[in-house]
Amino acid sequence: MPDSAHNSEPHLWVKISLGDAGEVGPGKIALLRLIREHRSIAGAARAMNMSYRRAWLLINELNQIFGQPVLSTFLGGRTHGGAELTPLGEALIARFDSISSRAEAAVREELSALAAEVRSSD
Amino acid sequence: MPDSAHNSEPHLWVKISLGDAGEVGPGKIALLRLIREHRSIAGAARAMNMSYRRAWLLINELNQIFGQPVLSTFLGGRTHGGAELTPLGEALIARFDSISSRAEAAVREELSALAAEVRSSD
C-alpha cells in the first residue's frame, strides 16, 4: 500500500463489509500476505510498523468472521513462534484480489475521467 | 455509513486514490451530503460527530485535489456562516455514487459467495 500512495495513477481501494460479521480490507489482506512471506506474525507486524498485539487482533477478527483460523502457528520459531496461512487464509487473499481487480476494471473509465478533472485543474 | 454497519448484507466500500493528488472516500462524500442537507459546515460536522476543524480540513483537501472549491460559503447564517455545494461538489457526489454502485454491481456474485462462507461457519 505505501507504494500506491506515490503512484500518480487513479486507483480504487475496496473494503468488504460482511455486515455484522465484520470487514475485510486492504490492511488485513496486506497483513496476511506479509505473514505468508515472513512465516511469522511478529515479522509481518514489524514489516507493517504495527504492534504484535494489533496484528494478532486483526488476525483474530478474521478468524471470528469465518469461524475458522486463517493461519496456523507452529512452535520452534523465534519470538512468538512461526505462522503459516491455512487454505482459508490463502483463499481469502485470492478472493479479495479477485474482487478488487474486478471492481477496478468495472470503473476504470470513470476513474480516468475523474483523474482527468484533477489534472485539468493543475 | 452508520446504518450499513448494522446491515447484514455484504457490501463494498470504495475509496478512490487519485495518486499524489489525494483520496476521495465515503467519509468526504458523506460530509458533502450533510453539508448539502444542513447548508452548513458546522451542522454537517455535528451530524458526523466531527470537529468543525476536521470537517473544514476534509473540504479543503477536496478543494486542493480539484483546484476549485467544492462548496461556497455565504454570510448571514448562524455560527461559521452557511454553505452550499458548488456544481463541482454536486458532480463529485454523483461521480462517487456512480463509481461505487458500478464497482459493487461488478462483484455482487463474489460478495455473496464470500458472505455465504461466513454464514456457513456460524
Side-chain angles (χ1 to χ4, degrees), chain B residues 46-121:
Chain B
R46 266 194 303 276
M48 288 186 83
N49 201 19
M50 177 188 281
S51 70
Y52 177 81
R53 177 176 162 75
R54 169 88 180 136
W56 189 87
L57 288 172
L58 291 175
I59 292 301
N60 195 47
E61 272 183 51
L62 289 175
N63 292 346
Q64 295 295 322
I65 288 172
F66 293 97
Q68 297 174 56
V70 294
L71 53 86
S72 59
T73 53
F74 50 87
L75 297 177
R78 287 176 298 173
T79 327
H80 303 300
E84 57 192 12
L85 300 191
T86 61
L88 172 65
E90 292 288 353
L92 187 56
I93 293 178
R95 178 81 82 179
F96 186 83
D97 286 348
S98 168
I99 287 175
S100 289
S101 51
R102 200 182 293 256
E104 178 142 16
V107 302
R108 195 161 292 145
E109 282 183 28
E110 281 200 275
L111 281 185
S112 298
L114 190 60
E117 288 164 21
V118 171
R119 280 195 289 269
S120 70
S121 67

Side-chain angles (χ1 to χ4, degrees), chain A residues 44-65:
Chain A
R46 265 195 304 276
M48 289 186 82
N49 202 19
M50 176 187 283
S51 70
Y52 177 81
R53 176 177 161 76
R54 169 88 179 133
W56 188 88
L57 288 173
L58 291 174
I59 292 301
N60 195 47
E61 272 184 52
L62 290 174
N63 292 344
Q64 295 294 323
I65 288 172

Side-chain angles (χ1 to χ4, degrees), chain A residues 34-90:
Chain A
L34 285 165
I35 289 170
R36 177 168 61 188
E37 182 187 332
H38 291 266
R39 292 173 60 86
S40 150
I41 300 175
R46 265 195 304 276
M48 289 186 82
N49 202 19
M50 176 187 283
S51 70
Y52 177 81
R53 176 177 161 76
R54 169 88 179 133
W56 188 88
L57 288 173
L58 291 174
I59 292 301
N60 195 47
E61 272 184 52
L62 290 174
N63 292 344
Q64 295 294 323
I65 288 172
F66 293 96
Q68 298 173 55
V70 293
L71 54 84
S72 59
T73 52
F74 50 87
L75 297 177
R78 289 176 297 174
T79 327
H80 302 301
E84 57 192 10
L85 301 191
T86 60
L88 172 65
E90 292 288 352

Side-chain angles (χ1 to χ4, degrees), chain A residues 4-21 23-24 64-68 88 91-92 94-95 98-100 102-104 106-107 109-111 113-115 117-122, chain B residues 4-21 23-24 64-68 88 91-92 94-95 98-100 102-104 106-107 109-111 113-115 117-122:
Chain A
S4 293
H6 298 286
N7 188 328
S8 61
E9 286 305 301
H11 180 75
L12 199 71
W13 291 115
V14 308
K15 182 156 69 172
I16 300 162
S17 164
L18 292 160
D20 295 332
E23 292 182 339
V24 180
Q64 295 294 323
I65 288 172
F66 293 96
Q68 298 173 55
L88 172 65
L92 187 56
R95 177 81 81 181
S98 169
I99 287 175
S100 289
R102 199 182 292 256
E104 178 142 15
V107 302
E109 282 182 30
E110 279 200 277
L111 282 185
L114 190 60
E117 286 164 21
V118 170
R119 279 194 289 269
S120 70
S121 65
D122 279 349
Chain B
S4 291
H6 298 286
N7 188 328
S8 62
E9 287 305 302
H11 181 75
L12 201 68
W13 291 116
V14 308
K15 184 158 66 175
I16 300 163
S17 165
L18 293 160
D20 295 333
E23 292 182 340
V24 180
Q64 295 295 322
I65 288 172
F66 293 97
Q68 297 174 56
L88 172 65
L92 187 56
R95 178 81 82 179
S98 168
I99 287 175
S100 289
R102 200 182 293 256
E104 178 142 16
V107 302
E109 282 183 28
E110 281 200 275
L111 281 185
L114 190 60
E117 288 164 21
V118 171
R119 280 195 289 269
S120 70
S121 67
D122 279 347

